[in-house]
Amino acid sequence: MALVDRVRASAARGGREGLEALAAAVPVPIARIAIRVCPELPPTTEERIADNRAQTVADSVMYREALAAAAEARGWSVHWYDRERVFRDAATALGRDDVNDLLSAMGRSIGPPWQAIHKLAAAAALAATGHPASRATSG
C-alpha cells in the first residue's frame, strides 16, 4: 500500500501544480471547473485490487479526485458532469433545446483542431454554468 500512497501524493501534487499553472496562464479568474463524474468503487484499496472493473478505473478516479481537491483548495467549485447527459445539461443551462449548432459555431470560430473531446469539454463548461456542485460518483 506504500506504492498507492506515493501515487496518491504524486497525483495531489500534480493536481495542485497543474491548476496553479492553469490559473497563471488564463487571463481571467477561474471560479469553477468541470470534471467527469467518477464511477463508484469498492471502499478499500484491497477490494479495488481484487475487483477487475475497479482495477481498470481506480487510477482515473484517483486523479479526478486529486484534481477536484486541488480545485476546491484554490476556492474553485467543481461541477461533476455525466458524459451521457452533459450535452442536454448544457442546453438546459443555456435555456436551449440543443447546443450542437452553438458548439459547431464555437469550433468554427476557434479553428482546428475542434474534435469531439473539445465539444465535450465545452459542453461540460456550459453545463457547469447552470448547476450547483454535485457529487463525484455516479449512482
Side-chain angles (χ1 to χ4, degrees):
M1 297 311 133
L3 175 60
V4 173
D5 291 339
R6 285 196 316 267
V7 172
R8 237 184 227 120
S10 177
R13 188 172 45 259
R16 287 189 307 272
E17 291 171 358
L19 293 184
E20 183 177 323
L22 176 64
V26 174
V28 295
I30 298 170
R32 174 173 260 195
I33 66 169
I35 302 173
R36 187 167 43 99
V37 70
C38 298
E40 291 190 33
L41 294 174
T44 68
T45 300
E46 292 80 7
E47 290 171 303
R48 292 174 186 186
I49 290 169
D51 182 312
N52 283 342
R53 186 200 61 83
Q55 287 176 25
T56 64
V57 297
D59 286 351
S60 69
V61 168
M62 177 181 51
Y63 290 118
R64 282 183 251 170
E65 290 173 346
L67 192 59
E72 290 169 347
R74 295 186 67 80
W76 301 353
S77 63
V78 176
H79 170 71
W80 294 95
Y81 72 89
D82 181 330
R83 187 180 184 126
E84 300 299 317
R85 292 191 335 246
V86 70
F87 291 96
R88 185 174 58 240
D89 291 347
T92 299
L94 297 176
R96 302 170 67 122
D97 291 329
D98 186 83
V99 291
N100 287 324
D101 290 342
L102 175 66
L103 293 173
S104 293
M106 188 183 295
R108 283 190 300 278
S109 72
I110 293 170
W114 184 253
Q115 300 168 345
I117 192 73
H118 302 114
K119 289 172 82 171
L120 178 67
L126 293 168
T129 66
H131 290 280
S134 55
R135 64 189 207 131
T137 56
S138 62

